[in-house]
Amino acid sequence: MNKYIHSFLIAMISSLLMVACVDSYMGVEQVKTNSVKPEKITIKEIIPKSGALEIYFTLPKGNPNITQVVASYVNKQGEKVEFTVSRYSAFILVEGLTGTEQVTVELVCIDSSGNKSDVTVVKAAPLTSPIELALNTMKVQPAFGGIKVEWKNERANPFIIHVLVEDSLQKGVVSFMEDPYKTIYTTDSVNTFAYIRQYPSVEKKFGFSVSDKWGNRTDTLISFLTPYKEEEIDYSHIKAVTFYNPTIYAGSRDYGIYGVNPTTGIQNDGNAHGTAHVPQTIFNNIRTGNQFYGYKFVKNLSDSDPANRIIVHNYYLTFDMNMNVRLSRVLIYPRTGLVYTYKRSSPKRFRIWGTNDANNERWKKFPETWTLIGEYVGKDPVDTDNLTPEEIEYFNNNQEYSISEGNVNPDAHPTESFRYMRLQLMETYNKNEAFYTINEFQMYGEVLEYY
């Protein structure tokens, strides 16, 4: 009998719990829904933007259940594009528009039950889109080994520049097609240029179009251009010279004793750490390990008080190129390892000086008889302590300086050719570091004559 009473009580309790959960479950109230659609939203103002419309609106009064506002339009590819904001926003930005013709945008508000209001229709014309502005302002011109492309992107909008070139897929058949390896991805408002290389110095057909994340793509700009002749400078011809008294010693040397030639008054070339780290090593095609390693001179080095010692940051390396060359660009490959990436002894600022055999006083007078080819400054990362993979890759493998466009010194003459080169290292990323390190100094340009 007790067994049946126990079973009856369990059944009764379960029934009571089921009844109690009609309006709530575990103490959480169920959402009540209805099928009444909210009133339409009211448009207050429409502000045309570049490739967009900024639409200000007012929600129906007295309806606290509205959760969001949705704006949509059909793009030129026939696809519906939607944008959503919460009820707490006063406007909605509709993007991805191209052209300056009037477009139709539909807006609805949605409540917590999922009910949509009737459509409010907006008709307005956007301003010229970022990708159309980029194409309209695009300039294409010959460059060493290829072409230079420039554009405007004042608001740092993200877009892609597609590069099309002629290519021979089979003998006698030339196709004009996109080269995916030359694609330019940009979100920059300052560095709005790029070089497309490597091409021979013959006329070639190039094409450029711009696309965005909304799937829009511009027409193609066509240009016929002849790149300037450019070649990688052959290291086998370059030899370090000793006319400016370079030394080898595993440590810093006193500027007052070793820094200046007492006869000419010219600063001597720097001091290398050892025979395995002399200036010639920047031209040995080795980009890893520890190549060139040179100590800066120090004034008052023998002073017992370190506070009186002054590091001389200018450090010179001098070479006979054994060719008459006009440089187009150089690449620096620093000592590898994160401790040298935008840090320590890696060069940040440097100059290139040049002269030729006509300068009979080249070893006796410097700099007045030499030509300043250019002065260059390395980039800084956003946060030295939190480098991005892109920043690391650039610094170690793509640290390129254009001889003309990259020059920061108005007194320089980047187009001058020369035979003898004096490389002036001026600043390390850590100004307190007493030495410089470089693994390779790669050069490109036009060789006018070999000696």
Side-chain angles (χ1 to χ4, degrees):
M1 186 67 176
N2 289 336
K3 178 180 179 181
Y4 292 114
I5 294 172
H6 182 69
S7 298
F8 176 75
L9 290 173
I10 291 175
M12 288 292 292
I13 292 170
S14 297
S15 298
L16 290 171
L17 285 172
M18 289 179 66
V19 172
C21 289
V22 171
D23 294 321
S24 66
Y25 177 74
M26 297 296 289
V28 179
E29 294 294 326
Q30 290 184 321
V31 176
K32 295 180 180 180
T33 61
N34 60 57
S35 58
V36 180
K37 63 182 179 182
E39 297 293 322
K40 296 170 60 174
I41 66 172
T42 302
I43 304 302
K44 293 176 61 179
E45 184 181 13
I46 304 170
I47 301 178
K49 298 284 187 179
S50 176
L53 295 173
E54 194 171 87
I55 304 172
Y56 287 80
F57 58 83
T58 301
L59 295 175
K61 294 181 179 180
N63 190 343
N65 295 321
I66 292 175
T67 60
Q68 59 183 323
V69 173
V70 179
S72 64
Y73 69 92
V74 177
N75 65 18
K76 293 180 179 179
Q77 291 76 42
E79 301 168 338
K80 187 176 182 179
V81 184
E82 288 190 345
F83 300 87
T84 304
V85 294
S86 74
R87 63 170 293 148
Y88 301 105
S89 179
F91 72 93
I92 187 167
L93 182 64
V94 177
E95 300 179 277
L97 304 172
T98 58
T100 54
E101 303 86 9
Q102 189 179 78
V103 295
T104 300
V105 180
E106 296 183 346
L107 296 97
V108 297
C109 56
I110 303 174
D111 65 18
S112 57
S113 296
N115 300 310
K116 291 184 179 180
S117 70
D118 289 333
V119 174
T120 299
V121 177
V122 166
K123 293 185 177 182
L127 302 180
T128 305
S129 68
I131 61 173
E132 292 167 312
L133 285 171
L135 188 72
N136 293 343
T137 59
M138 188 172 288
K139 296 180 181 179
V140 185
Q141 59 188 3
F144 281 101
I147 57 174
K148 182 183 180 183
V149 188
E150 297 180 84
W151 61 90
K152 287 187 178 180
N153 187 18
E154 294 177 352
R155 296 188 178 275
N157 292 288
F159 54 72
I160 301 170
I161 299 175
H162 306 268
V163 181
L164 294 82
V165 293
E166 288 181 322
D167 196 9
S168 298
L169 299 180
Q170 63 186 64
K171 188 175 181 180
V173 179
V174 178
S175 299
F176 189 56
M177 58 192 298
E178 182 175 341
D179 185 345
Y181 296 102
K182 306 297 186 183
T183 302
I184 304 166
Y185 299 88
T186 180
T187 57
D188 204 319
S189 63
V190 178
N191 296 314
T192 54
F193 68 91
Y195 290 93
I196 312 297
R197 296 184 175 102
Q198 191 77 27
Y199 297 107
S201 184
V202 295
E203 186 179 72
K204 196 174 186 67
K205 181 181 179 182
F206 294 92
F208 303 90
S209 64
V210 190
S211 67
D212 61 21
K213 62 181 179 180
W214 311 109
N216 300 306
R217 186 160 175 163
T218 66
D219 294 333
T220 302
L221 173 67
I222 304 295
S223 294
F224 290 86
L225 298 168
T226 303
Y228 299 140
K229 184 179 179 181
E230 181 191 65
E231 59 186 287
E232 183 176 351
I233 303 304
D234 185 354
Y235 290 164
S236 65
H237 295 271
I238 305 173
K239 303 299 178 185
V241 297
T242 59
F243 292 99
Y244 290 117
N245 307 310
T247 57
I248 297 175
Y249 177 72
S252 296
R253 288 196 140 168
D254 195 298
Y255 181 81
I257 301 174
Y258 298 95
V260 176
N261 184 320
T263 302
T264 64
I266 300 173
Q267 181 173 323
N268 287 323
D269 281 355
N271 174 59
H273 177 75
T275 55
H277 310 286
V278 294
Q280 190 70 45
T281 59
I282 69 173
F283 298 125
N284 64 4
N285 284 307
I286 300 176
R287 301 175 184 175
T288 59
N290 305 320
Q291 303 304 309
F292 169 71
Y293 178 179
Y295 291 94
K296 302 173 185 177
F297 290 116
V298 179
K299 293 181 179 179
N300 308 316
L301 182 61
S302 60
D303 196 305
S304 58
D305 185 357
N308 295 327
R309 299 171 190 167
I310 302 172
I311 296 175
V312 178
H313 295 285
N314 285 325
Y315 185 110
Y316 292 92
L317 309 87
T318 309
F319 303 91
D320 183 351
M321 308 288 286
N322 285 297
M323 65 184 83
N324 183 18
V325 62
R326 179 182 293 112
L327 291 182
S328 58
R329 56 191 171 110
V330 298
L331 286 86
I332 288 182
Y333 292 90
R335 178 176 286 195
T336 54
L338 279 177
V339 293
Y340 295 97
T341 307
Y342 300 98
K343 299 173 185 175
R344 296 201 65 187
S345 51
S346 297
K348 183 177 182 181
R349 181 183 290 267
F350 65 96
R351 285 177 177 170
I352 297 174
W353 297 86
T355 193
N356 51 44
D357 287 325
N359 177 13
N360 296 322
E361 297 184 298
R362 57 185 175 274
W363 311 127
K364 300 176 182 178
K365 293 184 179 181
F366 175 86
E368 60 267 31
T369 63
W370 287 61
T371 299
L372 175 61
I373 304 300
E375 181 175 337
Y376 309 93
V377 182
K379 295 181 180 179
D380 284 309
V382 175
D383 183 353
T384 307
D385 296 324
N386 295 282
L387 298 175
T388 66
E390 293 79 10
E391 289 171 334
I392 295 173
E393 171 65 18
Y394 165 79
F395 190 79
N396 289 326
N397 299 303
N398 300 304
Q399 197 180 148
E400 181 176 293
Y401 300 87
S402 171
I403 296 299
S404 293
E405 290 85 350
N407 170 55
V408 298
N409 194 315
D411 295 326
H413 301 275
T415 61
E416 289 291 318
S417 64
F418 56 90
R419 172 177 177 171
Y420 303 97
M421 179 177 74
R422 201 165 195 217
L423 186 60
Q424 178 186 357
L425 306 180
M426 303 173 68
E427 181 183 337
T428 44
Y429 271 88
N430 180 352
K431 293 183 179 181
N432 295 320
E433 204 68 74
F435 57 97
Y436 284 99
T437 53
I438 303 175
N439 274 356
E440 185 176 357
F441 193 76
Q442 188 178 34
M443 299 181 291
Y444 290 85
E446 181 181 6
V447 178
L448 306 178
E449 181 182 4
Y450 286 100
Y451 298 105

